[in-house]
Amino acid sequence: MSNQQQSRFTQTRDAAGAVLTVIDSSTGLEWTPAPVGGKRHTHQQALDACAALDHAGHTDWALPTRQQQLSLVDLSRHNPAIDTDAFPDFPSSWFWTSDLTAWSSASAWLVFFGGGGVGYDHRYLSGFALAVRRAGQ
């Protein structure tokens, strides 16, 4: 596995050069570089897919909190509002967080990587999922 420095982000790569993970030096978090499974999930499916993920030699992945996911938003960018050097081909879409809304466990928070906003919706609807873990553990 080799590393390529990208501003605050470091990409880990396999022997063929494919990006495996993205490490954020400002938070100490390691991210999958693309949506888990490459498709949309209900909130429960997103939680389960991240928890079951065996990727880049690690099995301690989780769906990020709202705060963790918002740390990736780059408000100087649009469609998507994320560093596309570190996260190439990233969809400008809604991504689930692990946080439920305070007023209803039937709804959860999402981050919109089209413009960097935050919203909530019913957990049975679909959104993408990124997986996160503490880097170096």
Side-chain angles (χ1 to χ4, degrees), residues 9-56:
F9 298 107
T10 302
Q11 294 176 325
T12 64
R13 295 174 178 267
D14 65 15
V19 178
L20 292 174
T21 67
V22 179
I23 299 172
D24 184 346
S25 64
S26 69
T27 62
L29 297 175
E30 186 169 16
W31 297 88
T32 54
V36 174
K39 64 178 185 172
R40 296 174 189 271
H41 307 273
T42 66
H43 186 255
Q44 189 61 54
Q45 289 169 338
L47 286 166
D48 294 345
C50 290
L53 190 62
D54 184 349
H55 179 71

Side-chain angles (χ1 to χ4, degrees), residues 80-106:
I82 193 169
D83 184 335
T84 52
D85 290 329
F87 295 88
D89 303 317
F90 200 85
S92 297
S93 193
W94 290 97
F95 282 74
W96 286 115
T97 74
S98 60
D99 296 326
L100 303 180
T101 59
W103 55 90
S104 173
S105 62

